């Protein structure tokens, strides 16, 4: 192993140490958006995703708790409550929850065995 190998090893080692130092210094910066408009967009997407998950969870919970031959009762208020409790939102608009519940109701073919107040 000559000087070329030693220098190459030192270069690779110092590059690795430099990258690790940069990672420690700038930890998490790539995950945070730089622009406020991007942060608002991401927050809206997350809000809708959490509403969708809450609606799916409420529908499946209502189906499990319904008796044999009974329709599952899915309410907008249950979606609002689930979103607040599980995902920690202080404000959940009822009209948003109703819109998402209507979408998930139609997507999950719930008209066969479910009843909802989202259309009222």
């Amino acid at each position: 192993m000559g000087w070329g190998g030693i220098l190459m090893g030192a270069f690779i080692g110092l590059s690795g140490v430099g990258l690790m130092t940069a990672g420690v210094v700038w930890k998490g910066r790539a995950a945070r958006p730089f622009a406020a408009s991007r942060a608002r967009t991401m927050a809206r997407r997350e809000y809708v995703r959490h509403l969708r998950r809450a609606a799916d969870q409420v529908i499946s919970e209502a189906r499990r708790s319904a008796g044999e031959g009974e329709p599952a009762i899915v309410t907008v208020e249950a979606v609002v409550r689930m979103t607040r409790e599980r995902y920690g939102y202080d404000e959940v608009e009822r009209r948003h929850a109703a819109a998402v519940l209507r979408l998930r109701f139609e997507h999950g073919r719930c008209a066969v065995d479910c009843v909802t107040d989202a259309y009222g």
Side-chain angles (χ1 to χ4, degrees):
M1 184 167 188
W3 285 103
I6 292 173
L7 288 175
M8 185 59 80
F11 176 73
I12 291 173
L14 288 175
S15 297
V17 169
L19 287 173
M20 287 188 292
T21 304
V24 168
V25 170
W26 294 313
K27 179 179 73 175
R29 187 170 292 176
R32 284 185 246 139
F34 290 111
S37 62
R38 180 157 167 75
R40 282 189 299 274
T41 301
M42 295 306 291
R44 254 184 261 122
R45 285 182 187 168
E46 186 174 272
Y47 174 70
V48 171
R49 187 176 70 236
H50 287 154
L51 271 174
R52 220 175 314 156
R53 285 182 182 166
D56 287 339
Q57 291 166 350
V58 167
I59 289 171
S60 63
E61 184 179 311
R63 282 180 167 166
R64 277 193 305 272
S65 65
E68 178 109 13
E70 292 180 353
I73 300 171
V74 184
T75 63
V76 175
E77 195 55 43
V79 175
V80 169
R81 186 174 55 250
M82 175 76 74
T83 307
R84 284 183 182 156
E85 290 173 1
R86 184 152 298 178
Y87 299 107
Y89 288 97
D90 294 331
E91 297 291 323
V92 179
E93 290 193 36
R94 190 179 194 294
R95 64 186 177 97
H96 292 160
V100 169
L101 183 57
R102 282 191 298 271
L103 288 174
R104 302 315 288 171
F105 192 81
E106 293 165 2
H107 176 73
R109 296 183 184 89
C110 293
V112 176
D113 61 345
C114 296
V115 177
T116 186
D117 62 347
Y119 291 99

